[in-house]
Amino acid sequence: MTTAATAAATVAAHEAGCYGIGRQGLRGDLLGLIQNTLKFRNRITGSEWAEGRAGQVGYGRIPRGTGSESGPVTLYGYQRGLLDAMCDPTIPLITVLKAARVGYTRMATLAIGYHLHQDPTLCAVAQPTIPDAEDFGADEIGPMLRDTPVLAEQLRTVRKGERQDKATFYRLANGASVRLVGAASDDAFRRYSARFLFGDELDAEGWTPKAKTQGDKLKLFWTRGETFWNRKQIRGGTPLLKDTSRTWKLWLQSDQRRYFVPCPHCSAATGRLAGWQHLEWGGPDVPHGVKWSLDEDGAVAHVWYVGTCGHRIEEGHKSWMDERGEWRATARPKQPGHVGFHLWTGMSLNPNAAWPVLVGEWIEAQADPASLVQPFVNLRLGMPYEPTYGQQIKIEAFTQRMEPYPTEIPPGVVYLTAGVDVQSGQGRHPRIEVTVYGWGRGHESWLIGHWIFRGDPAQREVWDQLDRLLLRSFVGPDGRRFRIQAAAVDSGGHHTAETYAFCELRRARRVWAIKGRSEKNGQRTRVWPRRPTVKNGNTVYLVGGNAARDFVYGSLAVPRPGPRYIHFPSDPPAEAEPLDTEFFEQLTRERLITPKGGQYTVWDKPKDKAHEAGVCLVYAYAAAVGLQTLNKKWLTALEGGAVLPPQGPAGSDDPEVETGSAAALPLVEQTPTPAPAAVIQKRGRGRRVIRSNL
């Protein structure tokens, strides 16, 4: 049968109406194809992906070995809103200002997992340093890929001859990948592209641009997504100092969202807005916030929260409020689409974040406010710290806290050090200024006296006066006598030769020539070096001035006796200078500033006003650190763990003291060694050696 005959027979076999039925079937098949196979998949939110919805188990998993728990993810209320924003394609820019114990790292890894699975794309994570990136990749990203089933099945099989994935780069079979870099490296933001960008711990040193770099590293990171029309960047971390915190400055440019929760007592009765508020620490100067009571022994008896509505809210209400809360913007962003979140520890339902725990940590911080308050503000409140360094204290407050000492050396002092500043007389009379401080437990200190030896430091007489003071003994409790155990003498002025000569002859008595170490861009180095520097046969110790000033000027702000508190005598020794208004003004004349365009702080030393009282305090502290570096007994003595020998000028167990040196000096006053007249001699190839006439 021919083809035409076959076609004719087929047409003849059809009954009337068959074509209509066939068209209807075809139409139904096409609609089914569009609604199923060809239909765009409904986008799920980040929290739905992690936890599941409508009774379905979510995809998110807490990997084994990354926390106290493992298995399916369960989120707090405030975490859901944060994760949803991290996975929302309509939000291009997010800044998170956060404390510890809030689950921020977990939300970040879940957001990365979401983008690898739901919207396979190129992801990049920037940590401060390369070791940080390697740790994050090995401890967070790798375990997440391994323990999340929908991601584990996408881990590609490495074929023969291919590179094995490593902790800083993971590639999935669906085309997605995760790259981890260290911001401190100059090559961190080159030769790759990524749509989803996550920058962590922006206040860390690794994010600070160095010399000869291309500029702001966060902006360089942002350029890695230029080829994607829907690029997204999440950045954040724990803020440090208010003047230099990158995270804080970026958050201020966002819409500053806070997690508002309903009051369990009045939200339904007074209306949605009146009963809603965001929880915050509060303080003694505001009626709302975390409040507590103490028992007779000073222990925490009870903790509660007073809302802005005036109602008292107990810890047990926190879970109810968290489940019903929502994130709300509190400012207009400087850049459209810039969303900011603030998370502090008091929001968390973690048992270690309970309000009584936070109150206990705050009370503990009050025992050493100069050292412990900043960690509380940064790590618990998620806010930048603004140090005062005593600069906001009125001079009258210093004079009012002057106190009588029962003896020249009051109880509590363990040993003495001296700070010596040599002035050439540029604009003022030439002189040598010395301050003696006593050090006790927790680096609590007592100013013993401030001396000014007027005269030209190029002459012997003024050095003789200094030597007599350094050999003098001071009367302490029960008639005990104290000598100065170490002295730091500034050698950076116009009398370097005389300073070297004076200190070289007395190094066995721990009279040390010092000079400030060169510290660029606000660098903080060791206060006292491990080893001295030898220049032209003379020994000089390069000290970290920024760190030393941070410590001592921060101690000026400590308000109550205890660790790091500085005492001032109302009746200093008769031959010492009176502690007048000028002395206390000099203590606070050096200012901590942020250079224009800088992301760091430096100490600004006034050139037109005297500040020797503050400088001598810094040097006396450096001498104390020098003792502690020389032998740990000097440090453990301040911790109550060691008993020092009688207060002679030096000890035979000190490694830099030679046999037969000042270790055998008696405790009575001695005739000082004549101060040398410095003579500079040339020796071969222009080398200069400082000689003494003794």
PDB file of all heavy atoms in Angstrom, residues 303-325:
ATOM      1  N   VAL A 303      17.286  39.135  89.173  1.00  0.00           N
ATOM      2  CA  VAL A 303      17.484  39.958  87.977  1.00  0.00           C
ATOM      3  C   VAL A 303      16.167  40.012  87.206  1.00  0.00           C
ATOM      4  O   VAL A 303      15.482  38.995  87.063  1.00  0.00           O
ATOM      5  CB  VAL A 303      18.598  39.373  87.082  1.00  0.00           C
ATOM      6  CG1 VAL A 303      18.761  40.220  85.821  1.00  0.00           C
ATOM      7  CG2 VAL A 303      19.915  39.300  87.842  1.00  0.00           C
ATOM      8  N   TRP A 304      15.825  41.197  86.715  1.00  0.00           N
ATOM      9  CA  TRP A 304      14.613  41.361  85.917  1.00  0.00           C
ATOM     10  C   TRP A 304      14.853  42.468  84.892  1.00  0.00           C
ATOM     11  O   TRP A 304      15.916  43.103  84.878  1.00  0.00           O
ATOM     12  CB  TRP A 304      13.419  41.695  86.808  1.00  0.00           C
ATOM     13  CG  TRP A 304      13.537  43.016  87.531  1.00  0.00           C
ATOM     14  CD1 TRP A 304      13.036  44.222  87.142  1.00  0.00           C
ATOM     15  CD2 TRP A 304      14.222  43.259  88.770  1.00  0.00           C
ATOM     16  NE1 TRP A 304      13.352  45.204  88.047  1.00  0.00           N
ATOM     17  CE2 TRP A 304      14.074  44.639  89.063  1.00  0.00           C
ATOM     18  CE3 TRP A 304      14.931  42.460  89.668  1.00  0.00           C
ATOM     19  CZ2 TRP A 304      14.620  45.226  90.198  1.00  0.00           C
ATOM     20  CZ3 TRP A 304      15.478  43.046  90.801  1.00  0.00           C
ATOM     21  CH2 TRP A 304      15.313  44.408  91.059  1.00  0.00           C
ATOM     22  N   TYR A 305      13.861  42.692  84.055  1.00  0.00           N
ATOM     23  CA  TYR A 305      13.954  43.728  83.033  1.00  0.00           C
ATOM     24  C   TYR A 305      12.793  44.690  83.200  1.00  0.00           C
ATOM     25  O   TYR A 305      11.642  44.266  83.362  1.00  0.00           O
ATOM     26  CB  TYR A 305      13.911  43.108  81.628  1.00  0.00           C
ATOM     27  CG  TYR A 305      14.205  44.093  80.511  1.00  0.00           C
ATOM     28  CD1 TYR A 305      15.486  44.264  80.042  1.00  0.00           C
ATOM     29  CD2 TYR A 305      13.187  44.854  79.929  1.00  0.00           C
ATOM     30  CE1 TYR A 305      15.762  45.163  79.019  1.00  0.00           C
ATOM     31  CE2 TYR A 305      13.447  45.752  78.919  1.00  0.00           C
ATOM     32  CZ  TYR A 305      14.748  45.908  78.459  1.00  0.00           C
ATOM     33  OH  TYR A 305      15.022  46.807  77.457  1.00  0.00           O
ATOM     34  N   VAL A 306      13.090  45.973  83.158  1.00  0.00           N
ATOM     35  CA  VAL A 306      12.053  46.998  83.207  1.00  0.00           C
ATOM     36  C   VAL A 306      11.883  47.557  81.799  1.00  0.00           C
ATOM     37  O   VAL A 306      12.831  48.111  81.221  1.00  0.00           O
ATOM     38  CB  VAL A 306      12.408  48.120  84.191  1.00  0.00           C
ATOM     39  CG1 VAL A 306      11.351  49.225  84.137  1.00  0.00           C
ATOM     40  CG2 VAL A 306      12.536  47.580  85.605  1.00  0.00           C
ATOM     41  N   GLY A 307      10.707  47.376  81.215  1.00  0.00           N
ATOM     42  CA  GLY A 307      10.461  47.822  79.862  1.00  0.00           C
ATOM     43  C   GLY A 307      10.276  49.317  79.773  1.00  0.00           C
ATOM     44  O   GLY A 307      10.061  50.015  80.782  1.00  0.00           O
ATOM     45  N   THR A 308      10.327  49.846  78.557  1.00  0.00           N
ATOM     46  CA  THR A 308      10.058  51.265  78.356  1.00  0.00           C
ATOM     47  C   THR A 308       8.612  51.596  78.709  1.00  0.00           C
ATOM     48  O   THR A 308       8.269  52.755  78.938  1.00  0.00           O
ATOM     49  CB  THR A 308      10.330  51.653  76.898  1.00  0.00           C
ATOM     50  OG1 THR A 308       9.587  50.777  76.031  1.00  0.00           O
ATOM     51  CG2 THR A 308      11.810  51.519  76.581  1.00  0.00           C
ATOM     52  N   CYS A 309       7.780  50.551  78.756  1.00  0.00           N
ATOM     53  CA  CYS A 309       6.387  50.742  79.155  1.00  0.00           C
ATOM     54  C   CYS A 309       6.242  50.780  80.676  1.00  0.00           C
ATOM     55  O   CYS A 309       5.154  51.061  81.191  1.00  0.00           O
ATOM     56  CB  CYS A 309       5.531  49.612  78.593  1.00  0.00           C
ATOM     57  SG  CYS A 309       6.095  47.958  79.065  1.00  0.00           S
ATOM     58  N   GLY A 310       7.321  50.473  81.398  1.00  0.00           N
ATOM     59  CA  GLY A 310       7.291  50.505  82.850  1.00  0.00           C
ATOM     60  C   GLY A 310       7.006  49.172  83.509  1.00  0.00           C
ATOM     61  O   GLY A 310       7.127  49.062  84.732  1.00  0.00           O
ATOM     62  N   HIS A 311       6.645  48.145  82.747  1.00  0.00           N
ATOM     63  CA  HIS A 311       6.333  46.852  83.337  1.00  0.00           C
ATOM     64  C   HIS A 311       7.600  46.067  83.644  1.00  0.00           C
ATOM     65  O   HIS A 311       8.615  46.189  82.959  1.00  0.00           O
ATOM     66  CB  HIS A 311       5.431  46.035  82.400  1.00  0.00           C
ATOM     67  CG  HIS A 311       4.009  46.488  82.397  1.00  0.00           C
ATOM     68  ND1 HIS A 311       3.536  47.421  81.517  1.00  0.00           N
ATOM     69  CD2 HIS A 311       2.963  46.144  83.184  1.00  0.00           C
ATOM     70  CE1 HIS A 311       2.250  47.640  81.745  1.00  0.00           C
ATOM     71  NE2 HIS A 311       1.877  46.874  82.756  1.00  0.00           N
ATOM     72  N   ARG A 312       7.495  45.237  84.642  1.00  0.00           N
ATOM     73  CA  ARG A 312       8.606  44.371  85.050  1.00  0.00           C
ATOM     74  C   ARG A 312       8.496  43.042  84.292  1.00  0.00           C
ATOM     75  O   ARG A 312       7.471  42.366  84.356  1.00  0.00           O
ATOM     76  CB  ARG A 312       8.553  44.145  86.560  1.00  0.00           C
ATOM     77  CG  ARG A 312       9.605  43.204  87.090  1.00  0.00           C
ATOM     78  CD  ARG A 312       9.661  43.317  88.597  1.00  0.00           C
ATOM     79  NE  ARG A 312      10.462  42.269  89.199  1.00  0.00           N
ATOM     80  CZ  ARG A 312      11.052  42.375  90.384  1.00  0.00           C
ATOM     81  NH1 ARG A 312      10.923  43.490  91.084  1.00  0.00           N
ATOM     82  NH2 ARG A 312      11.761  41.382  90.877  1.00  0.00           N
ATOM     83  N   ILE A 313       9.566  42.689  83.597  1.00  0.00           N
ATOM     84  CA  ILE A 313       9.586  41.499  82.751  1.00  0.00           C
ATOM     85  C   ILE A 313      10.621  40.528  83.303  1.00  0.00           C
ATOM     86  O   ILE A 313      11.775  40.910  83.535  1.00  0.00           O
ATOM     87  CB  ILE A 313       9.920  41.871  81.297  1.00  0.00           C
ATOM     88  CG1 ILE A 313       8.907  42.889  80.755  1.00  0.00           C
ATOM     89  CG2 ILE A 313       9.971  40.634  80.411  1.00  0.00           C
ATOM     90  CD1 ILE A 313       9.287  43.468  79.410  1.00  0.00           C
ATOM     91  N   GLU A 314      10.219  39.305  83.507  1.00  0.00           N
ATOM     92  CA  GLU A 314      11.116  38.291  84.051  1.00  0.00           C
ATOM     93  C   GLU A 314      11.832  37.549  82.923  1.00  0.00           C
ATOM     94  O   GLU A 314      11.402  37.557  81.767  1.00  0.00           O
ATOM     95  CB  GLU A 314      10.337  37.301  84.918  1.00  0.00           C
ATOM     96  CG  GLU A 314       9.616  37.929  86.104  1.00  0.00           C
ATOM     97  CD  GLU A 314      10.562  38.499  87.147  1.00  0.00           C
ATOM     98  OE1 GLU A 314      11.738  38.052  87.182  1.00  0.00           O
ATOM     99  OE2 GLU A 314      10.148  39.388  87.914  1.00  0.00           O
ATOM    100  N   GLU A 315      12.937  36.882  83.270  1.00  0.00           N
ATOM    101  CA  GLU A 315      13.707  36.106  82.304  1.00  0.00           C
ATOM    102  C   GLU A 315      12.846  35.065  81.596  1.00  0.00           C
ATOM    103  O   GLU A 315      13.028  34.789  80.407  1.00  0.00           O
ATOM    104  CB  GLU A 315      14.879  35.414  83.016  1.00  0.00           C
ATOM    105  CG  GLU A 315      15.710  34.496  82.145  1.00  0.00           C
ATOM    106  CD  GLU A 315      16.753  35.231  81.324  1.00  0.00           C
ATOM    107  OE1 GLU A 315      17.112  36.353  81.699  1.00  0.00           O
ATOM    108  OE2 GLU A 315      17.203  34.672  80.313  1.00  0.00           O
ATOM    109  N   GLY A 316      11.892  34.500  82.310  1.00  0.00           N
ATOM    110  CA  GLY A 316      11.036  33.476  81.728  1.00  0.00           C
ATOM    111  C   GLY A 316      10.165  33.962  80.592  1.00  0.00           C
ATOM    112  O   GLY A 316       9.640  33.158  79.818  1.00  0.00           O
ATOM    113  N   HIS A 317       9.971  35.283  80.470  1.00  0.00           N
ATOM    114  CA  HIS A 317       9.166  35.835  79.383  1.00  0.00           C
ATOM    115  C   HIS A 317       9.951  35.966  78.082  1.00  0.00           C
ATOM    116  O   HIS A 317       9.366  36.222  77.024  1.00  0.00           O
ATOM    117  CB  HIS A 317       8.646  37.233  79.768  1.00  0.00           C
ATOM    118  CG  HIS A 317       7.658  37.206  80.893  1.00  0.00           C
ATOM    119  ND1 HIS A 317       7.784  38.017  82.006  1.00  0.00           N
ATOM    120  CD2 HIS A 317       6.539  36.475  81.096  1.00  0.00           C
ATOM    121  CE1 HIS A 317       6.776  37.793  82.839  1.00  0.00           C
ATOM    122  NE2 HIS A 317       6.006  36.860  82.302  1.00  0.00           N
ATOM    123  N   LYS A 318      11.265  35.820  78.154  1.00  0.00           N
ATOM    124  CA  LYS A 318      12.098  36.136  76.995  1.00  0.00           C
ATOM    125  C   LYS A 318      11.786  35.235  75.803  1.00  0.00           C
ATOM    126  O   LYS A 318      11.747  35.698  74.658  1.00  0.00           O
ATOM    127  CB  LYS A 318      13.579  36.045  77.377  1.00  0.00           C
ATOM    128  CG  LYS A 318      14.507  36.617  76.331  1.00  0.00           C
ATOM    129  CD  LYS A 318      15.882  36.965  76.876  1.00  0.00           C
ATOM    130  CE  LYS A 318      16.651  35.763  77.321  1.00  0.00           C
ATOM    131  NZ  LYS A 318      18.069  36.084  77.629  1.00  0.00           N
ATOM    132  N   SER A 319      11.562  33.954  76.045  1.00  0.00           N
ATOM    133  CA  SER A 319      11.266  33.031  74.944  1.00  0.00           C
ATOM    134  C   SER A 319       9.963  33.416  74.247  1.00  0.00           C
ATOM    135  O   SER A 319       9.873  33.396  73.018  1.00  0.00           O
ATOM    136  CB  SER A 319      11.192  31.595  75.473  1.00  0.00           C
ATOM    137  OG  SER A 319      10.845  30.703  74.453  1.00  0.00           O
ATOM    138  N   TRP A 320       8.957  33.778  75.022  1.00  0.00           N
ATOM    139  CA  TRP A 320       7.661  34.190  74.454  1.00  0.00           C
ATOM    140  C   TRP A 320       7.832  35.442  73.603  1.00  0.00           C
ATOM    141  O   TRP A 320       7.284  35.546  72.500  1.00  0.00           O
ATOM    142  CB  TRP A 320       6.667  34.429  75.586  1.00  0.00           C
ATOM    143  CG  TRP A 320       5.294  34.828  75.137  1.00  0.00           C
ATOM    144  CD1 TRP A 320       4.247  34.012  74.848  1.00  0.00           C
ATOM    145  CD2 TRP A 320       4.819  36.172  74.923  1.00  0.00           C
ATOM    146  NE1 TRP A 320       3.153  34.741  74.471  1.00  0.00           N
ATOM    147  CE2 TRP A 320       3.465  36.071  74.509  1.00  0.00           C
ATOM    148  CE3 TRP A 320       5.393  37.426  75.045  1.00  0.00           C
ATOM    149  CZ2 TRP A 320       2.692  37.191  74.220  1.00  0.00           C
ATOM    150  CZ3 TRP A 320       4.623  38.551  74.748  1.00  0.00           C
ATOM    151  CH2 TRP A 320       3.291  38.421  74.345  1.00  0.00           C
ATOM    152  N   MET A 321       8.596  36.402  74.089  1.00  0.00           N
ATOM    153  CA  MET A 321       8.800  37.644  73.341  1.00  0.00           C
ATOM    154  C   MET A 321       9.616  37.391  72.077  1.00  0.00           C
ATOM    155  O   MET A 321       9.313  37.942  71.012  1.00  0.00           O
ATOM    156  CB  MET A 321       9.516  38.670  74.230  1.00  0.00           C
ATOM    157  CG  MET A 321       8.685  39.150  75.413  1.00  0.00           C
ATOM    158  SD  MET A 321       9.473  40.515  76.325  1.00  0.00           S
ATOM    159  CE  MET A 321      10.929  39.688  76.963  1.00  0.00           C
ATOM    160  N   ASP A 322      10.646  36.568  72.185  1.00  0.00           N
ATOM    161  CA  ASP A 322      11.498  36.290  71.033  1.00  0.00           C
ATOM    162  C   ASP A 322      10.708  35.665  69.888  1.00  0.00           C
ATOM    163  O   ASP A 322      10.896  36.022  68.722  1.00  0.00           O
ATOM    164  CB  ASP A 322      12.637  35.361  71.457  1.00  0.00           C
ATOM    165  CG  ASP A 322      13.459  34.875  70.285  1.00  0.00           C
ATOM    166  OD1 ASP A 322      14.271  35.662  69.764  1.00  0.00           O
ATOM    167  OD2 ASP A 322      13.271  33.708  69.881  1.00  0.00           O
ATOM    168  N   GLU A 323       9.818  34.757  70.199  1.00  0.00           N
ATOM    169  CA  GLU A 323       9.052  34.058  69.170  1.00  0.00           C
ATOM    170  C   GLU A 323       8.121  35.009  68.428  1.00  0.00           C
ATOM    171  O   GLU A 323       7.804  34.784  67.255  1.00  0.00           O
ATOM    172  CB  GLU A 323       8.252  32.928  69.808  1.00  0.00           C
ATOM    173  CG  GLU A 323       7.548  32.014  68.828  1.00  0.00           C
ATOM    174  CD  GLU A 323       8.524  31.228  67.967  1.00  0.00           C
ATOM    175  OE1 GLU A 323       9.659  30.987  68.429  1.00  0.00           O
ATOM    176  OE2 GLU A 323       8.157  30.867  66.830  1.00  0.00           O
ATOM    177  N   ARG A 324       7.704  36.081  69.056  1.00  0.00           N
ATOM    178  CA  ARG A 324       6.722  37.006  68.474  1.00  0.00           C
ATOM    179  C   ARG A 324       7.336  38.324  68.002  1.00  0.00           C
ATOM    180  O   ARG A 324       6.615  39.233  67.594  1.00  0.00           O
ATOM    181  CB  ARG A 324       5.622  37.286  69.499  1.00  0.00           C
ATOM    182  CG  ARG A 324       4.761  36.062  69.784  1.00  0.00           C
ATOM    183  CD  ARG A 324       4.018  36.175  71.107  1.00  0.00           C
ATOM    184  NE  ARG A 324       3.132  35.029  71.304  1.00  0.00           N
ATOM    185  CZ  ARG A 324       3.545  33.826  71.703  1.00  0.00           C
ATOM    186  NH1 ARG A 324       4.842  33.631  71.949  1.00  0.00           N
ATOM    187  NH2 ARG A 324       2.701  32.820  71.860  1.00  0.00           N
ATOM    188  N   GLY A 325       8.655  38.438  68.066  1.00  0.00           N
ATOM    189  CA  GLY A 325       9.293  39.696  67.692  1.00  0.00           C
ATOM    190  C   GLY A 325       9.466  39.865  66.202  1.00  0.00           C
ATOM    191  O   GLY A 325       9.191  38.968  65.403  1.00  0.00           O
TER     192      GLY A 325
END
